[in-house]
Amino acid sequence: VHPTAVIEGAEIGAHCRIGAHCVVRFSVLGQHVHLHDGAKLEYSVVDDHTWLMHDLVLYRSLVESQAFLIHGPYQFSYFQHQSAAFATIMMDYRPDGRPIQINTPHGIRPYLGRFLGALLEEEAKVLGGSLIAPGITIPLGYQVSAKPEDVVKAKDLLGK
């Protein structure tokens, strides 16, 4: 644990590396978790052999083992085993007030809470520039990326 790190009300597993200016508040870290300089965690659980990169913010999330997260913030989300997120905007709030839709074993249902992040199933990856809506599940092994040719231009929406 770097001497400039702030640890408050947290449980830290064996062989963790917590870099300079990291903040870990009311969270649980498994074994061999790497928090690189400036990473911040609050009210989260992070399992073994996971890497949280520089200046990442993780809030009220669950991260299973061997995940890799960079360029957050990631909030109210669940990252399963060997999932990864890189420079992704994971929306957790609908400003229009309509219910967030979630996929359940019984079909798509409204979620009545105000905040809900995303679920990345095992080995799912979301890459730079992706925008993930609240309540979205990225299925097992899928990879999501934002390719410039897939971006809809405003003039296309207006029919011009």
Side-chain angles (χ1 to χ4, degrees):
V1 176
H2 194 276
T4 61
V6 174
I7 311 293
E8 182 181 356
E11 181 179 322
I12 310 296
H15 309 291
C16 288
R17 180 198 175 279
I18 300 175
H21 307 290
C22 288
V23 176
V24 182
R25 287 197 172 105
F26 308 107
S27 296
V28 176
L29 302 182
Q31 297 181 25
H32 300 279
V33 173
H34 290 260
L35 272 66
H36 289 267
D37 295 349
K40 293 167 182 54
L41 280 75
E42 288 193 17
Y43 305 104
S44 295
V45 176
V46 179
D47 205 356
D48 302 342
H49 299 281
T50 292
W51 287 54
L52 305 177
M53 299 307 289
H54 302 25
D55 300 318
L56 173 101
V57 175
L58 186 71
Y59 181 73
R60 293 187 186 248
S61 293
L62 175 59
V63 182
E64 289 185 358
S65 64
Q66 299 179 15
F68 180 84
L69 304 179
I70 187 169
H71 297 303
Y74 303 116
Q75 305 175 125
F76 306 102
S77 294
Y78 179 17
F79 301 89
Q80 290 185 347
H81 178 72
Q82 292 185 332
S83 61
F86 170 74
T88 300
I89 297 172
M90 299 178 85
M91 300 170 61
D92 58 19
Y93 178 73
R94 283 200 58 156
D96 61 9
R98 289 191 276 168
I100 296 169
Q101 302 290 315
I102 58 171
N103 190 12
T104 72
H106 306 287
I108 295 176
R109 306 281 174 135
Y111 172 79
L112 301 179
R114 298 203 32 103
F115 296 96
L116 182 67
L119 164 62
L120 273 65
E121 292 185 346
E122 290 192 23
E123 300 177 9
K125 314 276 188 282
V126 289
L127 304 176
S130 301
L131 177 63
I132 309 299
I136 292 294
T137 297
I138 308 299
L140 172 79
Y142 269 61
Q143 181 171 305
V144 175
S145 65
K147 297 183 287 185
E149 60 270 18
D150 292 340
V151 176
V152 177
K153 295 182 174 73
K155 67 178 184 174
D156 295 335
L157 293 174
L158 299 172
K160 296 180 182 178

